[in-house]
């Protein structure tokens, strides 16, 4: 058995079933909670098995190195996925299903909250799950009732790696369709930098003015990346 310390844990070269029970990812998750596991250990539980001479954790580490981190799994294509020995279409389908379930769980949780502004972290998590990992810019609109409860959400446009065309009339149409007195909007920056641009500022002002003409309040504009978020409202950025 060959092992060496890594980030406080032991690394074994044999099958996970041969590891001491207190070091096995699945047992540790049940006993300590998912937050106690590394990215590789979480992914290993999803994989369930490794390959001859390579444990599931070893395979998970290879995947994380190949794809640039756990956060990039949402961007991996089937063609890229099957390039790693031991991964096939069935596992890829399972991955896509898990990611979609995570999105829907956040969506349902968000819709159950009576006051979205009281849960800014949840809102950011939801937006990042919807569009934050995309490699092109997307513009998301979220319709709210008078109590700031979510009525509906929709990606209104998708563009290129650094821009997307957004027309205030499309946002207005979406809000009116849902009979929403309030609305939030969000878009992603694939570059990973969440600082709003001058074009983002201009769009936010135009949206605020256009919605105000029909007595609809623009509550916030959120800019997200794979691991960051910027709220116009929380940062008191004009026109908020």
């Amino acid at each position: 058995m060959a092992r060496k310390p890594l980030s406080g844990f032991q690394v074994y070269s044999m099958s996970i079933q041969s590891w001491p029970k207190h070091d096995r990812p699945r047992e540790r998750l049940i006993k300590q909670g998912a937050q106690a596991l590394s990215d590789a250990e979480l992914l290993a539980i999803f994989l369930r098995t490794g390959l001859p001479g390579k444990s599931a954790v070893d395979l998970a580490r290879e995947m994380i190195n190949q794809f640039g981190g756990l956060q990039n799994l949402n961007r991996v294509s089937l063609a890229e996925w099957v390039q790693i020995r031991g991964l096939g279409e069935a596992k890829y389908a399972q991955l896509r299903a898990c990611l979609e379930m995570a999105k829907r769980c956040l969506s349902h949780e968000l819709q159950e909250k009576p006051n979205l502004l009281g849960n800014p972290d949840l809102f950011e998590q939801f937006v990042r799950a919807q569009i934050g990992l995309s490699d092109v810019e997307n513009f998301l609109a979220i319709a709210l009732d008078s109590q700031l409860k979510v009525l509906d959400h929709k990606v209104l446009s998708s563009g290129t790696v650094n821009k997307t065309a957004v027309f205030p009339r499309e946002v207005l149409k979406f809000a009116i369709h849902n009979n929403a007195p309030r609305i939030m909007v969000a878009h992603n920056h694939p570059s990973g930098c969440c600082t709003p641009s001058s074009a983002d500022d201009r769009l936010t002002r135009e949206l605020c003015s256009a919605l105000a003409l029909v007595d609809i309040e623009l509550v916030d504009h959120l800019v997200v990346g794979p691991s960051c978020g910027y709220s116009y409202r929380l940062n008191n950025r004009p026109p908020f």
Side-chain angles (χ1 to χ4, degrees):
M1 179 176 65
R3 60 180 178 177
K4 60 181 180 179
L6 178 66
S7 301
F9 299 105
Q10 298 295 330
V11 179
Y12 300 89
S13 61
M14 59 174 62
S15 166
I16 289 177
Q17 292 303 314
S18 301
W19 294 10
K21 279 192 174 183
H22 63 269
D23 277 346
R24 298 177 192 174
R26 188 182 303 166
E27 282 75 3
R28 287 186 54 237
L29 183 146
I30 292 172
K31 191 171 183 178
Q32 302 175 30
Q35 71 280 354
L37 273 62
S38 67
D39 289 353
E41 290 171 319
L42 288 171
L43 187 54
I45 292 176
F46 165 78
L47 293 171
R48 296 181 59 195
T49 59
L51 297 169
K54 182 182 292 186
S55 71
V57 173
D58 294 329
L59 180 57
R61 290 196 187 98
E62 180 183 345
M63 293 170 63
I64 288 173
N65 289 333
Q66 178 72 24
F67 300 135
L70 195 64
Q71 71 276 11
N72 289 325
L73 287 182
N74 192 53
R75 303 182 182 185
V76 176
S77 68
L78 176 59
E80 293 170 323
W81 180 265
V82 298
Q83 290 300 309
I84 294 182
R85 180 170 171 262
L87 302 182
E89 292 186 355
K91 278 286 187 236
Y92 186 76
Q94 288 179 313
L95 171 73
R96 301 308 307 181
C98 287
L99 292 171
E100 184 60 29
M101 284 191 293
K103 285 184 180 180
R104 295 187 187 188
C105 283
L106 281 172
S107 178
H108 291 315
E109 185 177 358
L110 196 70
Q111 289 176 322
E112 291 171 358
K113 297 294 182 180
N115 183 355
L116 188 57
L117 293 185
N119 299 274
D121 290 340
L122 176 61
F123 176 49
E124 182 179 325
Q125 289 175 30
F126 168 74
V127 172
R128 284 170 55 193
Q130 298 297 316
I131 62 174
L133 297 178
S134 176
D135 54 7
V136 298
E137 279 203 13
N138 297 272
F139 187 87
L140 176 73
I142 303 175
L144 307 168
D145 66 12
S146 58
Q147 303 301 313
L148 296 171
K149 190 173 182 179
V150 175
L151 299 171
D152 193 13
H153 61 85
K154 183 179 181 181
V155 174
L156 298 183
S157 68
S158 296
T160 64
V161 295
N162 58 7
K163 67 178 180 179
T164 183
V166 183
F167 299 101
R169 66 173 177 271
E170 293 301 319
V171 179
L172 190 60
K173 180 179 177 181
F174 173 75
I176 292 175
H177 174 76
N178 285 282
N179 195 29
R182 294 175 171 179
I183 196 164
M184 282 185 171
V185 296
H187 77 281
N188 63 302
H189 282 178
S191 66
C193 174
C194 293
T195 303
S197 65
S198 58
D200 296 336
D201 290 340
R202 183 169 58 254
L203 172 62
T204 307
R205 290 193 298 269
E206 291 175 355
L207 286 173
C208 197
S209 298
L211 291 166
L213 290 174
V214 289
D215 200 26
I216 296 175
E217 179 187 358
L218 179 62
V219 176
D220 198 0
H221 184 178
L222 188 66
V223 183
V224 298
S227 59
C228 65
Y230 182 97
S231 163
Y232 271 70
R233 181 182 64 84
L234 293 180
N235 285 279
N236 296 313
R237 194 179 185 97
F240 294 96

